[in-house]
Every structure is written in C-alpha cells, then in structure tokens.
Amino acid sequence: MSAANGKNGSPDIPAGPRPEPLRFYGTTWVDHDHGYPARRVGLAVGSLAVAAAACFVLRVAYQGLQIADIGSFVSLLMIVMFAICSALAFRHTWSGFTSRPDPDRQASMRGLLAIGFVGSLLAYFFRTFTEAPGEKLHREEYEKAREEYEKRTTRRSGNPSRKRRGKQPG
C-alpha cells in the first residue's frame, strides 16, 4: 500500500524512471527491503536443491543407459555432452548477470541452455551469495537513468520567457 498524496486520493509516485523488477525479487533490490535477504537465502537454497534433484535425474538416466547396455562410447558421449553444455550454460548465465545478452545469440543458445540447465542453476546459486542475480546490471542502468533524468529536470527550471537576453544591437 502506498500513501495518498492528499489531493485526489492517488498514490504518491516519484517522478522519473522506475526500477526494472528482477525475477523473484520484484523491485526489492533497490532498497534491500520487504524480505530481500530472506528471498536471497531462499532462492540460493532452492536453486541448489533443484540442481541436486536435476543431477539425481541425470544419474537415473545414465543408469538407464547402462542397463540398456548401449556401449561405453554413448555413455561417455552423454557425460561429455552434459558437462560441456553445463559449463557453457554456467558461463552464459553468469555473464548475463553483468551485461544484457544479445537476443539473437540467446535464441541460438536456447537448446544448449536447456541441456546444460544444471550449469544455469549453479550460476544462479553462486550469484546469490553476492547479490540478487542481475542486481548490479539493473542498479547501474537505474542510477544512470536517474542521473540523466535529474540533469534534464534541473536544466529546465525557471520561466524561459523571463530569460535575460544580451544587449540588443542597435
């Protein structure tokens, strides 16, 4: 709930740019309020638990391949594929926390990221130790937008019709 401004019952909304919400955090990352620390702890534990469960599922799948006796080459190929895809997904996810990903590259890597989802979950887990994943990038963009807004609004102060003009030639 927000306070009414007393004029017409509408909420007081600060002028200027608004912070972009982060997944699972909303805009609590701006002031670290409304359960922000608890969310970070909960999401760290949750992402690690989901990564562990995913590893368990992958182990069951690997055991299924062993039971099917398809050969050691295919089993090795599966292990290498998941390891490489997980490492690439970790790197891609980690770099996405500090810079905006290229949409075309993101679309082309969608399959690889799906296969290496364990790497993405681990990147999310490790990032929550320092910040909400993506917080640094969003904070930099938000502060830059605020600074630009402040520059624009301070430049326009005053009545332009009352500006002093230089001496008229004459």
Side-chain angles (χ1 to χ4, degrees), residues 25 28 32-43:
Y25 292 92
T28 61
H32 294 185
D33 57 355
H34 300 294
Y36 172 85
R39 288 181 193 199
R40 272 189 44 198
V41 169
L43 288 167

Side-chain angles (χ1 to χ4, degrees), residues 1-166:
M1 282 204 160
S2 56
N5 65 9
K7 295 176 188 167
N8 58 6
S10 62
D12 276 331
I13 299 174
R18 307 261 188 284
E20 186 177 342
L22 288 174
R23 182 181 298 162
F24 306 120
Y25 292 92
T27 57
T28 61
W29 60 267
V30 177
D31 296 322
H32 294 185
D33 57 355
H34 300 294
Y36 172 85
R39 288 181 193 199
R40 272 189 44 198
V41 169
L43 288 167
V45 169
S47 62
L48 185 61
V50 171
C55 288
F56 177 75
V57 169
L58 290 175
R59 181 173 179 227
V60 169
Y62 178 74
Q63 287 175 341
L65 290 176
Q66 283 183 327
I67 292 170
D69 197 27
I70 58 170
S72 60
F73 177 73
V74 175
S75 297
L76 179 68
L77 193 60
M78 186 184 119
I79 291 169
V80 169
M81 176 196 64
F82 273 106
I84 290 173
C85 289
S86 291
L88 291 172
F90 181 94
R91 175 70 177 114
H92 180 75
T93 303
W94 191 265
S95 67
F97 295 142
T98 56
S99 64
R100 294 276 179 184
D102 178 30
D104 294 332
R105 184 170 184 259
Q106 184 84 5
S108 68
M109 291 187 68
R110 188 166 287 136
L112 183 133
L113 293 172
I115 294 169
F117 65 98
V118 173
S120 292
L121 289 167
L122 291 176
Y124 199 90
F125 168 72
F126 287 118
R127 192 57 171 209
T128 56
F129 286 122
T130 57
E131 66 176 5
E135 179 181 343
K136 181 178 179 184
L137 172 66
H138 284 78
R139 188 171 301 284
E140 288 171 356
E141 291 174 350
Y142 177 61
E143 287 175 357
K144 182 179 178 187
R146 292 290 306 169
E147 287 174 11
E148 290 173 359
Y149 174 77
E150 293 298 324
K151 284 181 186 177
R152 284 193 315 266
T153 56
T154 56
R155 231 184 298 155
R156 286 191 247 156
S157 62
N159 187 345
S161 66
R162 291 188 178 172
K163 269 191 176 177
R164 291 178 127 190
R165 305 274 185 220

